[in-house]
């Protein structure tokens, strides 16, 4: 499970849903894409499916990392905009079982809370790393013992890595 907070967005305005990435966010996206290319294979199977919030900043982030994921499919799901962690879990439980790995791209505080919820109590080091924060462009890779997406649950995973693009 790959959990990616959108990169740095333009300042808030009247249309939150339509806010694009800021120049810093575009740089973060390039750095994320490079990290994914360099880490291919080390972190388990790369995502075959990218589920993105419909907000422009999330979609632009997903599009920036997509080239590093080969032939991964991008699906935009409006439910991920203004979602809570339970909503994200519900969306993921709908993923077909033939999809081995998924990346979800969305917003804070939801994705930070979601990543924390996935990590089990036995992974003290992973929980501590996540508790330190989940800034824009943060990518958490969390393993899960679930053998089907419908069985994905909180408190069972372990943090494999947490990558944050440079400031």
């Amino acid at each position: 499970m790959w959990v990616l907070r959108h990169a740095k967005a333009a300042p808030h305005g009247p249309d939150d849903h339509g806010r694009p990435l800021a120049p810093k966010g575009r740089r973060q996206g390039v750095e994320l894409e490079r990290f994914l290319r360099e880490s291919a294979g080390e972190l388990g199977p790369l995502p075959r499916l990218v589920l993105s919030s419909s907000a422009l900043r999330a979609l632009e982030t997903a599009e920036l990392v997509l080239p590093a994921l080969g032939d991964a499919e991008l699906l935009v799901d409006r439910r991920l905009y203004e979602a809570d962690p339970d909503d994200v879990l519900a969306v993921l439980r709908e993923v077909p079982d033939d999809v081995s790995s998924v990346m979800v791209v969305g917003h804070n505080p939801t994705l930070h809370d979601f990543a924390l919820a996935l990590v089990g109590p036995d992974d003290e080091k992973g929980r501590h790393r996540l508790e330190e924060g989940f800034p824009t462009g943060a990518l958490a890779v969390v393993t899960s013992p679930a053998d089907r997406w419908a069985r994905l649950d909180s408190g069972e995973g372990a943090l494999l890595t947490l990558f944050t693009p440079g400031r």
Side-chain angles (χ1 to χ4, degrees):
M1 165 60 37
W2 302 63
V3 182
L4 175 58
R5 180 181 177 191
H6 68 75
K8 182 72 175 170
H12 288 277
D15 178 18
D16 181 68
H17 192 264
R19 282 194 302 138
L21 290 179
K24 177 180 177 179
R26 295 216 166 269
R27 290 190 302 274
Q28 288 176 325
V30 169
E31 192 174 340
L32 281 160
E33 194 264 349
R34 184 172 49 248
F35 170 78
L36 289 169
R37 281 191 194 281
E38 292 171 355
S39 301
E42 294 175 25
L43 302 174
L46 286 174
R48 304 299 350 124
L49 176 63
V50 178
L51 295 171
S52 176
S53 159
S54 58
L56 182 58
R57 59 197 178 274
L59 186 55
E60 288 180 339
T61 301
E63 289 171 341
L64 284 169
V65 302
L66 207 55
L69 304 179
D71 61 351
E73 179 182 6
L74 173 61
L75 290 177
V76 177
D77 193 320
R78 186 157 178 92
R79 295 176 294 174
L80 295 173
Y81 180 70
E82 297 183 333
D84 65 27
D86 289 334
D87 296 330
V88 176
L89 186 60
V91 169
L92 287 166
R93 286 180 174 160
E94 296 173 5
V95 171
D97 289 332
D98 64 340
V99 176
S100 60
S101 187
V102 175
M103 176 184 285
V104 62
V105 184
H107 313 275
N108 258 10
T110 298
L111 289 188
H112 185 210
D113 293 343
F114 177 69
L116 272 167
L118 285 176
V119 173
D122 293 343
D123 185 5
E124 292 179 23
K125 184 178 176 184
R127 291 193 66 73
H128 179 72
R129 287 220 44 222
L130 283 168
E131 287 168 353
E132 291 176 350
F134 206 67
T136 56
L139 171 66
V141 182
V142 180
T143 62
S144 169
D147 60 348
R148 297 176 41 183
W149 289 105
R151 294 183 181 153
L152 183 66
D153 209 352
S154 300
E156 297 180 344
L159 181 68
L160 195 58
T161 195
L162 176 62
F163 175 78
T164 55
R167 301 274 154 180

